[in-house]
């Protein structure tokens, strides 16, 4: 190709002026030479294009692409030295990546600084095509260098670098088709670099993703193992809890059966004992000495307490098993409260406790009268037990709130600690107080009250301050049929006391 520069130059437009009529044979030979040059140019373009296409894949390293580029340049031009600068994407600075021959690196860098100072780098980048530079200093060290070619490696998206080629031709000796070949070579090399960098980025991202997947998979396996182990532990605990619950249920059922059976078995002989004591009192009371009468009273009193305890046990057992049938009806509340006071009047007088009934005559409830009196008896009896020594009272009041009636039993006794106000409604649980053993019982009264009230569809609760007394409240459905009431002033509270 170098031997045909003169002929190819004539192809591009360089021709000498003719002083005489052209010879047809000479013109024919010239056209043949020009045709051969064009055919070689086209073959060179085709070969270059095929080779570049082969090297455009992502499996070619950038350093290999740059080496191929410089090799192709040396086959196009008589090159003295050449080098390629890469662009740092972060700082946008040019860095010498490859130099041929390697020993002339310093000379190449000095020439590059000169070309940058003269603005030729910027010019080549703006034009995006090979640019010939004639002002150079490297000629002093390398006399064979006649010009510098700056070839930008650019794509439509990005600048990848710049090639600097110091060659032996003057500017006028470099024909356009050679510059075109360099432009094609640089463009395709830039595309190959871009593809390679993209492939490297994708491979790195793929490796990162694979590592992340492996890491997350390991974490998930560990989490699954922890969950599986925890599930096994929970299943074991659940099995233990089920077994314990079954045992508790069996024990509770056995306790209920025992209480029910024992209560039934005790009630009959106890009834006979109480009847016998009543016969002794009626027939031979006058014949007994004072000490014998006291023993008879004590036996009668304790037998009655024992009978009440047995009745409570039977009621609790029946309520827990759902065997209690309520006979609810609309009843006035005041008479039931007064009847309760009348039955407990002797106990109240013995303890110097005033019983106050402030329930309005108009208030009616829908309840079983006997069970309602049983609840009131338990609550008032407890209030009397825990009353003060001086100035004690027990007050029963009620108020209607919509379709419910709230009934309260208030005393000014010893009170109940806050931490015991929930548990006292459980069977066999007693509240602590500073009273003597005379106030102790089986702990069934409040549990029975709670069960009976809840069977009526109401609820029961307590408000108490230790040392200032207690207020027990329970709610019941209001009466379904209101009887007419005369417009008369409300009656004053009825009082029953030991006077």
């Amino acid at each position: 190709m170098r031997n045909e520069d003169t002929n190819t130059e004539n192809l591009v437009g360089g021709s000498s002026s003719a002083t005489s009529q052209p010879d047809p044979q000479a013109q024919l030979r010239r056209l043949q030479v020009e045709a051969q040059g064009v055919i070689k140019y086209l073959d060179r373009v085709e070969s270059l294009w095929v080779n570049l296409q082969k090297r455009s894949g992502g499996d070619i390293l950038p350093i290999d692409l740059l080496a191929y580029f410089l090799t192709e340049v040396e086959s196009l031009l008589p090159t003295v030295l050449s080098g390629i600068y890469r662009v740092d994407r972060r700082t946008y600075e040019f860095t010498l990546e490859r130099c041929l021959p390697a020993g002339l690196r310093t000379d190449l860098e000095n020439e590059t600084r000169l070309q940058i100072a003269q603005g030729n780098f910027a010019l080549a980048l703006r034009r995006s095509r090979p640019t010939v530079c004639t002002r150079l200093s490297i000629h002093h060290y390398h006399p064979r260098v006649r010009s510098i070619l700056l070839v930008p490696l650019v794509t439509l998206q990005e600048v990848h670098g710049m090639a600097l080629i110091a060659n032996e031709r003057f500017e006028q000796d470099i024909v356009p088709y050679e510059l075109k070949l360099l432009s094609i070579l640089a463009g395709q090399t830039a595309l190959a670099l871009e593809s390679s960098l993209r492939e490297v980025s994708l491979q790195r991202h793929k490796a990162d993703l694979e590592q992340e997947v492996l890491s997350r998979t390991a974490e998930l396996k560990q989490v699954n193992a922890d969950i599986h182990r925890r599930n096994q532990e929970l299943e074991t605990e659940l099995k233990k809890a089920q077994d314990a619950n079954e045992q508790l249920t069996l024990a509770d059922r056995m306790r209920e059966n025992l209480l029910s059976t024992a209560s039934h078995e005790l009630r009959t002989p106890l009834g006979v004992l109480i009847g016998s004591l009543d016969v002794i009192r009626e027939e031979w009371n006058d014949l007994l000495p004072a000490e014998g009468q006291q023993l008879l009273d004590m036996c009668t009193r304790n037998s009655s307490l024992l009978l009440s305890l047995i009745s409570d046990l039977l009621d609790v057992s029946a309520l827990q098993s759902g065997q209690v049938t309520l006979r609810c009806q609309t009843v006035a509340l005041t008479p039931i409260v007064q009847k309760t006071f009348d039955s407990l009047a002797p106990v109240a007088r013995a303890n110097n406790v005033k019983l106050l009934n402030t329930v309005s005559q108009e208030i009616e409830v829908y309840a079983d009268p006997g069970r309602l009196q049983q609840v009131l008896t338990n609550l008032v009896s407890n209030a009397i037990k825990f009353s003060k020594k001086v100035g004690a009272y027990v007050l029963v009041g009620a108020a209607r709130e919509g379709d419910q009636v709230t009934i309260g039993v208030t005393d000014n006794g010893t009170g109940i600690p806050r931490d015991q106000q929930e548990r006292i409604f459980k069977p066999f649980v007693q509240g602590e107080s500073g009273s003597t053993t005379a106030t102790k019982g089986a702990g069934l009264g409040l549990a029975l009250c709670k069960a009976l009230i809840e069977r009526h569809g109401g609820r029961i609760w307590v408000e108490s301050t230790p040392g200032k007394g207690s207020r027990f409240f329970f709610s019941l459905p209001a009466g379904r049929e209101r009887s007419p009431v005369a417009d008369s002033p409300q009656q004053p509270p009825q009082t029953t006391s030991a006077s």
Side-chain angles (χ1 to χ4, degrees):
M1 180 178 293
R2 294 177 182 175
N3 297 329
E4 297 170 357
D5 284 348
T6 304
N7 295 329
T8 309
E9 184 175 357
N10 293 332
L11 175 66
V12 180
S15 63
S16 61
S17 61
T19 59
S20 61
Q21 190 70 23
D23 182 10
Q25 293 296 329
Q27 289 183 353
L28 180 59
R29 285 193 300 270
R30 182 173 59 82
L31 290 175
Q32 289 176 345
V33 171
E34 291 178 352
Q36 290 177 357
V38 171
I39 291 173
K40 288 182 178 180
Y41 168 73
L42 294 177
D43 289 341
R44 182 68 175 174
V45 170
E46 182 181 4
S47 174
L48 180 62
W49 185 264
V50 171
N51 289 333
L52 288 173
Q53 289 294 325
K54 292 179 179 178
R55 289 166 170 80
S56 298
D59 56 341
I60 303 298
L61 296 177
I63 192 67
D64 297 330
L65 291 171
L66 298 179
Y68 167 77
F69 176 83
L70 294 179
T71 301
E72 289 294 326
V73 168
E74 289 183 348
S75 69
L76 289 174
L77 298 171
T79 303
V80 176
L81 70 156
S82 60
I84 293 184
Y85 285 82
R86 292 284 302 278
V87 175
D88 191 324
R89 295 187 176 185
R90 294 172 296 180
T91 63
Y92 296 100
E93 293 181 355
F94 285 91
T95 304
L96 184 59
E97 186 78 17
R98 196 168 183 85
C99 177
L100 293 176
L104 302 180
R105 184 183 186 94
T106 302
D107 296 342
L108 185 66
E109 288 181 337
N110 291 334
E111 183 65 27
T112 299
R113 283 192 288 270
L114 174 64
Q115 298 301 327
I116 292 176
Q118 292 177 352
N120 293 329
F121 257 59
L123 177 63
L125 288 174
R126 285 198 303 271
R127 297 174 64 186
S128 295
R129 65 176 183 269
T131 301
V132 181
C133 307
T134 57
R135 295 181 60 186
L136 42 101
S137 64
I138 198 171
H139 176 72
H140 300 294
Y141 309 103
H142 304 279
R144 292 189 298 122
V145 177
R146 297 291 186 265
S147 64
I148 297 291
L149 270 174
L150 296 178
V151 185
L153 304 177
V154 298
T155 62
L156 293 177
Q157 290 79 19
E158 195 169 357
V159 176
H160 290 277
M162 179 76 74
L164 190 148
I165 304 166
N167 65 94
E168 298 178 1
R169 291 185 183 178
F170 291 104
E171 180 179 7
Q172 62 272 18
D173 296 331
I174 302 174
V175 295
Y177 90 88
E178 291 175 328
L179 296 178
K180 188 63 177 178
L181 285 175
L182 283 176
S183 181
I184 294 174
L185 176 62
Q188 198 65 21
T189 301
L191 288 174
L193 281 171
E194 195 170 84
S195 176
S196 176
L197 293 174
R198 186 182 299 112
E199 182 68 20
V200 170
S201 177
L202 289 175
Q203 291 294 336
R204 185 183 300 112
H205 187 59
K206 178 182 177 182
D208 293 341
L209 288 178
E210 290 177 349
Q211 184 61 36
E212 181 67 18
V213 169
L214 291 176
S215 176
R216 294 294 297 169
T217 301
E219 292 178 3
L220 289 175
K221 287 182 179 179
Q222 183 61 40
V223 170
N224 287 335
D226 293 341
I227 292 176
H228 181 69
R229 183 177 63 257
R230 184 57 180 163
N231 285 338
Q232 290 181 334
E233 293 175 355
L234 290 176
E235 289 177 358
T236 302
E237 295 296 328
L238 179 61
K239 184 64 170 60
K240 292 180 179 179
Q242 290 176 343
D243 293 342
N245 186 54
E246 291 178 357
Q247 294 177 1
L248 290 175
T249 302
L250 179 61
D252 190 58
R253 189 180 302 114
M254 294 176 62
R255 179 178 61 85
E256 291 177 2
N257 292 337
L258 177 61
L259 290 176
S260 178
T261 302
S263 299
H264 280 290
E265 295 297 328
L266 289 174
R267 192 169 190 175
T268 300
L270 184 60
V272 174
L273 176 60
I274 293 175
S276 300
L277 292 174
D278 290 340
V279 171
I280 294 174
R281 183 180 298 280
E282 292 177 1
E283 298 294 336
W284 296 289
N285 188 54
D286 296 336
L287 301 178
L288 294 174
E291 184 178 354
Q293 291 179 357
Q294 291 178 358
L295 290 174
L296 181 60
D297 292 339
M298 182 178 64
C299 291
T300 303
R301 183 169 60 254
N302 290 332
S303 298
S304 299
L305 291 174
L306 184 57
L307 181 61
S308 175
L309 173 60
I310 292 174
S311 299
D312 288 344
L313 285 172
L314 290 174
D315 287 339
V316 169
S317 177
L319 286 167
Q320 290 178 344
S321 61
Q323 298 177 359
V324 173
T325 302
L326 299 179
R327 295 177 176 81
C328 296
Q329 56 184 305
T330 299
V331 294
L333 183 57
T334 299
I336 296 178
V337 174
Q338 192 58 44
K339 188 175 181 180
T340 301
F341 281 0
D342 291 342
S343 65
L344 294 174
V347 181
R349 283 195 296 269
N351 290 274
N352 296 319
V353 177
K354 291 184 178 181
L355 303 179
L356 305 176
N357 180 5
T358 63
V359 179
S360 171
Q361 297 286 346
E362 301 175 356
I363 293 181
E364 296 178 340
V365 295
Y366 187 74
D368 185 322
R371 295 300 183 179
L372 176 55
Q373 184 174 349
Q374 186 177 4
V375 170
L376 287 170
T377 300
N378 277 321
L379 294 177
V380 175
S381 176
N382 281 344
I384 294 173
K385 288 180 182 179
F386 295 98
S387 62
K388 289 183 176 181
K389 297 299 181 180
V390 179
Y393 67 87
V394 177
L395 183 145
V396 178
R400 177 162 181 163
E401 300 175 356
D403 59 351
Q404 294 284 314
V405 173
T406 300
I407 305 164
V409 178
T410 305
D411 65 71
N412 60 345
T414 58
I416 304 170
R418 182 178 296 275
D419 59 345
Q420 298 184 30
Q421 292 179 12
E422 290 292 332
R423 55 190 298 272
I424 58 175
F425 291 101
K426 297 180 180 180
F428 305 104
V429 175
Q430 302 180 58
E432 297 179 1
S433 68
S435 303
T436 62
T437 56
T439 62
K440 293 186 179 296
L444 292 172
L446 291 177
L448 182 60
C449 291
K450 183 175 185 294
L452 288 172
I453 294 301
E454 289 177 351
R455 283 296 301 275
H456 280 81
R459 67 187 188 95
I460 186 170
W461 67 98
V462 62
E463 297 176 0
S464 180
T465 302
K468 296 184 179 180
S470 304
R471 301 178 67 188
F472 282 84
F473 297 96
F474 63 93
S475 61
L476 291 173
R480 298 184 178 180
E481 296 179 0
R482 295 293 301 274
S483 53
V485 179
D487 295 335
S488 58
Q490 184 173 338
Q491 298 181 1
Q494 302 180 23
T495 303
T496 302
S497 60
S499 54

